[in-house]
Amino acid sequence: QVQLVESGGGLVQPGGSLRLSCAASGSIFRPNVMGWYRQYPGKERELVADITADGKTNYADSVKGRFTISRDNAKNTVYLQMNSLKPEDTAVYYCNIKPLWSVRLTSWGQGTQVTVSS
């Protein structure tokens, strides 16, 4: 019932920046948590960051101090500002949303490729 559309991925030089956006639409449950995950080839997806509607955030240790997650509740949109990008940040990034009270109702975006290379 929830659709998530991601944008902002691409190719960037090491040390560069990208800003990912993810807009949710449809039957959105509230309150909810929105987040960003990434997946390397052949590996399971892993948490990058997530954020509650009231602004509480969690970050993976590998991105703390470099990435910033934010959201615009009026637009049902979550953002990921990625600075000081490293080659190891190269992955497919997925947006998700889930009700605060449920894991089974998690919805995922289609993914957007981020490639950090010189």
Side-chain angles (χ1 to χ4, degrees), residues 4-9 18-24 33-39 45-52 57-60 62-63 67-72 76-82 91-98 106-114:
L4 297 169
V5 179
E6 301 173 335
S7 62
L18 286 173
R19 191 186 192 218
L20 306 183
S21 299
C22 175
V33 180
M34 301 186 76
W36 290 95
Y37 288 69
R38 64 188 178 189
Q39 187 169 23
R45 66 193 176 197
E46 62 184 41
L47 174 71
V48 177
D50 60 23
I51 184 170
T52 64
T57 59
N58 290 303
Y59 293 93
S62 60
V63 307
F67 292 8
T68 302
I69 190 169
S70 61
R71 62 188 287 170
D72 184 334
N76 299 127
T77 300
V78 64
Y79 306 93
L80 186 68
Q81 178 66 47
M82 304 186 293
V92 178
Y93 285 70
Y94 295 91
C95 174
N96 82 345
I97 185 170
K98 77 173 193 69
T106 301
S107 296
W108 294 90
Q110 80 285 354
T112 185
Q113 177 71 46
V114 171

Side-chain angles (χ1 to χ4, degrees), residues 62-68 81-86 89:
S62 60
V63 307
K64 285 182 178 178
R66 300 189 298 121
F67 292 8
T68 302
Q81 178 66 47
M82 304 186 293
N83 299 326
S84 302
L85 283 161
K86 304 174 180 179
D89 294 317

